[in-house]
Structure formats: C-alpha cells, structure tokens
Amino acid sequence: MPPVSPEPPPSLVAAVRVGAVATTVDAGQLDHARAQFAAHHALQLDDAFDPGLLASLMNLCRTTKFETEQVGTIGWRTIEATDQVGRALRFILERDAFLRWVEAVSGCGGLNNVSGVLAEMLPGSDHVLGWHDDCNDPARRLALIVHLSDAPFAGGRFELGRKDGEGPTWTAGYLAPGSMLLFRVDPALRHRVTAVEGGRVRRVFAGWINVAG
C-alpha cells in the first residue's frame, strides 16, 4: 500500500451527480479521481447530488426520528429510527453507474451493495467515535460519508490515518450538504470522528460499499 500523503486531497466537483432517477459520472475526471484515491486512500466529492433530490432528502432529515446508539466500544451517536432517509440513500447509491465508477477509482472489484444509516452527533453530549478500522465486517471495501447538516458545525472532524503513524493524515470537518467522502477500509488504516462543538448538529449518512457477503 502506498504511503498516505500528509496533506488532504482537493475535492472533485460534480465528478458524480446522483439524481432522483439516474446517476451520471464525469468520465473526464476519472483519471484525476483515481490518482487522488491511490495517493490518499480517500476522496472528497463536492456537489454530488442533484439539487432537487438533495432538497427532498434534507426535508426528510428534518422530520425523521432519531434514537441513541452505542457503536460497539468506540462511542455514541443517534441514528434514524424509521430508516426513511437511510433506505432511500442505500437504494440510490446502489445504482450500477455509481458502483462501477467507484470500482474504477478505487481498484476494488465486485462491489455489490451499500449499507449504512443516517446518523447525528449532538454538541454538548458524549457523542464521539474513537479510532477504528471498520474491518469487523469482511464484506466492506470502502466507507462513505454523505454530509446532510443544516448548518456549519464546529468540531465533529473526520480524521483518517495509518495505524503505524502518529496522528491523522487526512481530515474533514463540516462540508456542504450533498458532499461525499469515500475512503478505503483496510486493516492498515484507522479513522475517527471528534466531538461536535458549539450549538449545531453534525448529520451524515454513514455507510459502506460492500462486496456480496
């Protein structure tokens, strides 16, 4: 595995566009995306959702119900109780156009399905996710985070690094709604999410792209 660069990679804008009925990809950005992912094991995709679909998802996020979840031994968060938004996102992210694009970018073959939940981390709470690698499910090949927060938040930073390193090598805080992070699931890597500060909520779809189990 090549070393992770100490600098966060720049984002790609509209390399993928997820719409209500179809997903399109910009073939002209594929080589750039592939090079970024090979160097950093992560990729930031801005403006990844059609505005109409994004508005509908955001409206659902504001009305759905959440319940507290303990995430193994690494921390706490709240997750969507009704799974409306989670179910919708899993469905649209499993389109063949998106999965085949991710395969081409990451070099991970056989990608078959998306799992995950809508989750919130609340400020002034014990919500935090400590260092972990997501390797507890052998079907996982990549993880993804879709940002869906109503307003910029402080803290709540996603941090990615090598297990044999001293600290994070790639970080991301608040991102505009509809932005997406993709990163490799690998036993040599670890990631965490720090506590949210201030008064605003961190809301994301947190999931994985998997091979058939």
Side-chain angles (χ1 to χ4, degrees):
M1 178 183 296
V4 180
S5 167
E7 296 297 330
S11 63
L12 278 71
V13 179
V16 170
R17 178 57 65 90
V18 181
V21 297
T23 297
T24 59
V25 299
D26 181 354
Q29 296 195 61
L30 177 59
D31 287 344
H32 186 199
R34 186 184 289 120
Q36 290 288 351
F37 194 86
H40 304 281
H41 313 301
L43 191 65
Q44 179 177 323
L45 301 171
D46 290 340
D47 198 22
F49 283 74
D50 176 81
L53 173 60
L54 180 59
S56 296
L57 291 170
M58 295 294 288
N59 285 334
L60 282 175
C61 287
R62 297 180 188 113
T63 59
T64 194
K65 303 297 183 182
F66 289 84
E67 59 188 10
T68 301
E69 180 193 46
Q70 182 175 6
V71 187
T73 61
I74 64 173
W76 295 82
R77 62 184 180 179
T78 66
I79 62 169
E80 186 185 18
T82 59
D83 197 35
Q84 289 178 289
V85 179
R87 184 168 58 249
L89 279 166
R90 293 192 301 271
F91 177 77
I92 62 178
L93 291 172
E94 284 181 354
R95 291 174 182 152
D96 190 68
F98 179 68
L99 293 180
R100 302 292 80 78
W101 185 86
V102 173
E103 284 184 342
V105 168
S106 67
C108 297
L111 299 180
N112 176 265
N113 67 89
V114 174
S115 56
V117 295
L118 181 69
E120 290 187 342
M121 295 178 65
L122 308 181
S125 71
D126 58 356
H127 293 179
V128 66
L129 298 178
W131 288 111
H132 59 288
D133 61 17
D134 282 350
C135 292
N136 50 305
D137 186 337
R140 295 170 180 168
R141 294 295 181 269
L142 300 130
L144 61 86
I145 301 171
V146 179
H147 279 254
L148 296 164
S149 299
D150 282 311
F153 55 80
R157 295 193 66 80
F158 167 81
E159 299 181 342
L160 173 71
R162 292 186 63 92
K163 288 184 180 178
D164 58 7
E166 295 184 357
T169 55
W170 194 86
T171 68
Y174 167 80
L175 295 177
S179 300
M180 187 187 306
L181 296 177
L182 289 170
F183 59 98
R184 190 185 303 279
V185 173
D186 189 284
L189 300 173
R190 61 179 184 170
H191 59 279
R192 69 176 180 178
V193 182
T194 65
V196 179
E197 303 165 2
R200 292 169 174 166
V201 174
R202 179 186 190 267
R203 182 197 299 136
V204 303
F205 174 80
W208 301 272
I209 306 178
N210 315 299
V211 296

